[in-house]
Amino acid sequence: MQWRNSKDRYGHLAILLHWIIAITLYGMFGLGLWMVTLGYYDSWYHKAPELHKSIGILLLLAMIIRVVWRWISPPPPALSSWSHFTRISAAVAHILLYLLIFAIIFTGYLISTADGKPVSVFGWFEVPATFSDAGAQADLAGEIHLWLAWSIVLLSVAHALAALKHHFINKDGTLRRMMGKPSPDHGVK
């Protein structure tokens, strides 16, 4: 079992973090869209936002681990078959995904703490409120949060389609590397 990334594939920890974060993001997106439709007397009216906030803080911790792990165990280099445009667009897409995820977590935090109360994470611990301006903060952060959520979904769909294009059309090892299998085409041009 290979936990660290190598020159021709991603290690198991990077793969695990990638898929846990991706599944969590889509789950949070669905939960967010659903919870804003709930009426005040619905039994999930208060539970759903608390669940959303708790998962959001855990997602932040997972992202911090992912960034630290990326520094400790750098990803494999670009495949030699990739064009210059592909290399640049892949790097930009990854940077944007990371920035969007951190931004959506931050705006979620601003929404959650607008009333000055800390965020309770499943009752295990609390994240204190550092900024609070109830009305304006929650409204502006909520609007940005929604736009960021849609941006992450659209960019991640493009990311997945690019991986599938590499696998089925280009027939290179891009997707194989993310599944922990070595790529016969590795290394930088």
Side-chain angles (χ1 to χ4, degrees):
M1 194 176 257
Q2 179 183 331
W3 287 101
R4 293 182 67 103
N5 298 331
S6 69
K7 66 179 168 60
D8 62 345
R9 70 174 133 190
Y10 286 90
H12 293 298
L13 185 57
I15 294 167
L16 183 66
L17 287 168
H18 175 272
W19 290 110
I20 285 173
I21 290 168
I23 291 166
T24 302
L25 282 169
Y26 277 92
M28 291 285 278
F29 182 74
L31 177 60
L33 289 179
W34 173 69
M35 73 184 192
V36 298
T37 67
L38 298 173
Y40 183 78
Y41 295 105
D42 192 296
S43 64
W44 278 92
Y45 183 78
H46 293 289
K47 290 184 221 172
E50 293 306 315
L51 179 64
H52 194 80
K53 291 183 228 179
S54 292
I55 294 171
I57 297 297
L58 295 180
L59 180 61
L60 172 63
L61 297 175
M63 282 301 297
I64 291 169
I65 292 168
R66 185 169 183 177
V67 169
V68 169
W69 184 250
R70 190 175 174 98
W71 182 73
I72 292 169
S73 182
L79 295 177
S80 58
S81 61
W82 288 6
S83 68
H84 181 69
F85 174 77
T86 300
R87 292 167 198 266
I88 298 296
S89 59
V92 168
H94 280 100
I95 290 167
L96 275 175
L97 281 168
Y98 278 62
L99 290 175
L100 285 170
I101 293 168
F102 281 114
I104 198 167
I105 292 168
F106 182 68
T107 57
Y109 169 78
L110 290 177
I111 296 165
S112 302
T113 59
D115 60 1
K117 295 178 186 164
V119 177
S120 174
V121 181
F122 296 114
W124 302 334
F125 62 94
E126 289 185 342
V127 177
T130 52
F131 309 102
S132 60
D133 179 15
Q137 178 176 316
D139 291 343
L140 178 60
E143 189 72 26
I144 295 169
H145 194 72
L146 177 62
W147 283 103
L148 291 172
W150 277 105
S151 299
I152 288 172
V153 167
L154 293 174
L155 185 57
S156 66
V157 166
H159 174 71
L161 289 173
L164 293 172
K165 177 227 175 236
H166 276 279
H167 188 72
F168 293 109
I169 295 173
N170 297 60
K171 299 193 185 303
D172 66 21
T174 302
L175 190 57
R176 288 180 50 80
R177 295 188 321 168
M178 195 57 220
M179 299 308 224
K181 298 177 180 0
S183 169
D185 175 26
H186 62 274
V188 180
K189 269 187 188 172

